[in-house]
Amino acid sequence: MNKPLRRVAIFCGLLVLALLLRDNWLQFVRADELNSHADNKRVQIERYATERGNIIVDGKPITGSVDSGGTYYKYKRTYVNGPMWAPVTGYASQVYDANFIEKIEDGILTGNDDRLFFDRTLAMFTGEKKKGGDVVTTLNGAAQKAAFEGLGKNTGAVVAIEPSTGKILAMASTPSYDPSTIAGSNDEKAWVSLNESKAKPMQNRALREIYPPGSVFKVVTAAAALEAGKVTDIDAATETPEGWKIPLSTVPMKNHSGGCANASLNEALRISCNSVFAKLGDDVGVEKMNEMAEKFGFNAEQFTPVRSAASVYDKKADRGGNALSSIGQFNTATTPLQMAMVTAAIANDGKLMKPYMIDQLRAPNLDVIKQNEPEQLSQPVSPENAQKLQAMMENVVAKGTGSRADLNMDGVKVGGKTGTAQHGEKNAKRPYAWFISYAKTDQGSPVAVAVIVEDAEGVGREDISGGGLAAPIAKAVMKAVLKSRG
Amino acid sequence: MSVVTNTTTIGAIEAPSRRNTELALLGFAVAIPVFAYLNVGLALDGEVPAGMLGYGLGLALLATVAHLVVRKWAPYADPLLLPLATLLNGMGLVLIWRLDQSPRLIATSMRLYKSFSPDAPAQMMYSAIGIAMLAAVLLLLKDHRVLQRYTYISMMAALVLLLLPLVPGLGSAVYGAKIWINVAGFSIQPGEFAKIVLAVFFSGYLMVKRDALALASRRFMGLYLPRGRDLGPILTIWAVSLLILIFENDLGTSLLFFGMFVIMLYVATERTSWIVMGLLMSVAGAVGVASFASHVQARVDAWADPFSCAEKVAACDQMTEVLMSFGSGGILGTGLGQGNSDLIGFAANSDFIFATVGEELGLAGVMVFLLLYGLIIERGIRTALAARDPFGKLLAMGLSGAFALQIFVVAGGVMGLIPLTGMTMPFLAYGGSSVIANWALIGILIRISDTARRPAPAPAPNPDAEMTQVVRP
């Protein structure tokens, strides 16, 4: 009986071998795939197993962690002034993943990032509890507060940038939501109602929504005209008839104010003449217009590092379309961030800095593991032309439609541009009120702001205007930045 | 040292008993779980666990008792079997104790039953009963050949054990499988004991019938086909295993019994045709049952693509959790007490305990455990090879074959190699019947190995010895 016995022994050996091979397949070959599988709760459990690091503004955390005592996820995220900061922090939920900074810097915040390996190892030996690192933002608490409170109950967004560096100082979006309400594991009701709400409180309007810019786009057209040499003297009359006929169409371009016939570029920007800018855009041509828009950042997503939607300038527009695009209508659409970038570039003498909102990544022991340095994105306009644009924009605030943004502070010059963007079929919807502006002192410009108010409650349709609704918000933000800089 | 007792040519050279080797190995088998216990305590609470002394001493006491029994009543037994089983049992206790600490499992238990009681103390008690069972086997069964007398009684006993769960009022279905019976507040899995009793029956039956089965056959297409009347018992076993599968929803047990029978038949008759027939019959049975039993179908679906059916069927959900548990362990594992294998849910410490090994001890740990089981199987088959009587050979082979199949079916099921069957890892998993029955199985193997390795009795003194005695210096 020994011969079959030996064979059975071999068979049993093969059974064990098959198990060993299968185990190697599972735990070696497929380990990573299984470990990062979407259904694997361990990623979430790990994310909340220890106290998460914080997002810091002005040296103070705007996030926190509490021991929720849950059997799956130990720590729960809390937010200080959640609705105000939501467009910056995003949310970190025990069941619904995370977004924005909470998601992008998850590795640092959880402490699992490779760059924190040394800290983790050290903590292991010293017996300290594992803790996440901090994300230090570039934001300015006072400016954010001014922006958020300025928007109030209106639907809209504000982005403020430091022109010389590209640091984002404020980023508000209303209506907003409190990420604390969806941070736990039993927040399905809040999650569903937030997602189904018609007001779209979770939409980050500052980065992810694109709007027709309307008249605020005229500064881009002005920049293109200057750069293309179509205009050299901003005070010289342009040959624009009142009621300039849109090419390929029989409709004449209408102006909302009088005095646009042959108005100079300076005057045309001050009173926001459609005909002058439409004609200028047509003179510059779709190619040059598009080139200028793209130098300012259009047609590309921006990474702050939170991704923004790409603003649009239609490079395939025909002559008529291009003329309409040049006054911020037709297919032109932009994020508030994009308009803040345009303003910042002009205020920074033509240099466009890459916008960013994460200044430093810090290890739990406060060691800086990454410091973001300002980075130039492009030079859309020459310094001379930028100064001409500044002169025109300052004129808008001093004597034109943007007077409500004037800070009336000594040594501070303010430049701006209003916009009232028509949209909807036959422009039937309530128009958007835009305002872009910057403040400038002897040391250069500390702040450039873009404000959009989508819908102002209780304001009649005829009264919606960038100068009326949006300019005061921009003014408050600029004031807050100037004050905080002493 | 070998002692020459007389000068006849048939010198009975005493084999070394290896009892001290066994004792040394038992030291490791106790020390390793104690360290593992310490490890879990430090990982979970950051302090030396309070029960460490109790469990350590308990395990050491059990090992000592078992060793003394073996030393006294089976002095020539294989020295590896007892330490291997002790190590696995000890590690099982640690893993169960570790899962007892899981807040998630406690919360689940509170939600489902409004109460929670840790399983480790119960498992400790079952282990003690298991060791007592081993002692009883060695004490009462002085010679395994005695079991031959009970061939047909064993058959009846096995059938009764297997069919008990189907008796109304006695059997209880838990999570789909009807393999438990309730007696005086205890639930018992008769199938675990039936495994041993059936092996006894097969050995007795095949030892008597093996010549008839091997030789009285017709040759057909290169295969030796048995006569119809010899086919009877085989078909009976096949039918019984199908009945278990259909009425008790127990794929694992039916596979185990039929597989064990085929292996023993092959060993007894030395005819390959039995293997072919056995495979054909099991395939036919499996396909037949799988085509109409929803329970089996669900298991097969869960095996084929667990991630796609996870939302529909509970079995799939468990399967994905088990696979992710293994995946998360990686090569070295998370460390005892630091994994999340408790995500598997209620069966984490019974059917799926191997996933905890996978997650917390990693690929390295799982391979060690598989090799430990492999060693038990190897020592069992070695015992079969060494056994001098055909009955002992068949019994040792049957028991080790059943053990090997059970390991394969359970570990293969848990690791997604084959469909999940719902049996438990011997010694590792929580469950009284399993621990006690497997200790009895080890006891019988120890008894057979003792008989096999015992030196032949000294031949009767040779009357001529006096005359030719060598003068020693």
Side-chain angles (χ1 to χ4, degrees), chain A residues 1-2 4-5 7-9 15 19-20 22-24 26-28 31 34-35 37 39-42 71-72, chain B residues 104 266 270 307 321 323-326 328 330-331 340 343 358-359 362-363 366-367 390 393 397 412 415-416:
Chain A
M1 282 195 274
N2 282 356
L5 258 179
R7 286 197 184 139
V8 173
L15 288 186
L19 291 177
L20 289 173
R22 172 69 187 182
D23 190 37
N24 276 277
L26 262 190
Q27 299 204 269
F28 182 70
L34 288 168
N35 219 353
H37 196 278
D39 293 345
N40 200 336
K41 294 194 195 81
R42 286 168 186 78
T71 51
Y72 282 82
Chain B
R104 267 167 237 154
Y266 171 63
E270 308 193 15
F307 286 103
E321 287 296 350
L323 288 180
M324 287 187 290
S325 202
F326 274 101
S328 301
I331 294 172
N340 290 301
L343 287 173
E359 180 159 0
L363 176 62
V366 170
M367 294 213 284
K393 258 187 199 312
M397 186 61 241
M415 292 196 292

Side-chain angles (χ1 to χ4, degrees), chain A residues 113-348:
Chain A
D113 193 279
D114 285 344
R115 287 169 288 183
L116 292 175
F117 177 79
F118 185 69
D119 290 83
R120 280 201 302 275
T121 316
L122 206 67
M124 198 170 79
F125 283 113
T126 56
E128 274 174 58
K129 257 170 72 181
K130 184 182 150 198
K131 200 178 172 300
D134 292 334
V135 175
V136 181
T137 67
T138 60
L139 284 119
N140 177 319
Q144 179 78 6
K145 191 161 180 258
F148 186 70
E149 286 177 358
L151 286 168
K153 283 184 178 165
N154 299 334
T155 302
V158 175
V159 174
I161 293 179
E162 184 177 83
S164 58
T165 54
K167 284 181 178 173
I168 293 175
L169 300 172
M171 185 155 75
S173 169
T174 52
S176 192
Y177 70 104
D178 188 349
S180 307
T181 58
I182 52 168
S185 36
N186 299 313
D187 295 336
E188 197 182 346
K189 227 168 114 188
W191 173 259
V192 170
S193 80
L194 279 177
N195 274 287
E196 286 176 356
S197 167
K198 281 214 177 94
K200 292 203 273 182
M202 288 177 77
Q203 174 76 328
N204 186 343
R205 293 172 174 78
L207 293 182
R208 300 273 172 93
E209 189 90 79
I210 52 174
Y211 302 96
S215 301
V216 289
F217 190 77
K218 286 171 184 163
V219 296
V220 177
T221 309
L226 288 167
E227 282 290 298
K230 299 287 173 193
V231 176
T232 43
D233 181 0
I234 55 168
D235 291 313
T238 54
E239 289 164 16
T240 318
E242 179 65 55
W244 180 73
K245 195 174 75 70
I246 301 169
L248 311 174
S249 146
T250 53
V251 189
M253 182 66 86
K254 271 193 284 183
N255 287 311
H256 295 287
S257 51
C260 285
N262 288 331
S264 67
L265 188 60
N266 196 2
E267 182 65 6
L269 196 75
R270 187 181 74 83
I271 56 176
S272 204
C273 292
N274 289 342
S275 57
V276 173
F277 284 95
K279 181 171 180 294
L280 271 178
D282 190 46
D283 290 348
V284 172
V286 67
E287 247 170 67
K288 283 269 171 67
M289 276 302 296
N290 183 54
E291 197 182 309
M292 178 53 63
E294 288 191 353
K295 273 191 189 168
F296 274 116
F298 276 79
N299 293 338
E301 292 178 335
Q302 305 295 332
F303 294 87
T304 69
V306 175
R307 180 185 59 83
S308 81
S311 302
V312 180
Y313 188 87
D314 190 346
K315 53 180 145 191
K316 290 193 183 113
D318 57 15
R319 269 186 73 195
N322 183 48
L324 282 171
S325 294
S326 303
I327 59 162
Q329 300 288 341
F330 192 57
N331 288 341
T332 313
T334 170
T335 59
L337 172 74
Q338 175 62 63
M339 286 325 295
M341 285 163 70
V342 169
T343 318
I346 292 168
N348 194 34

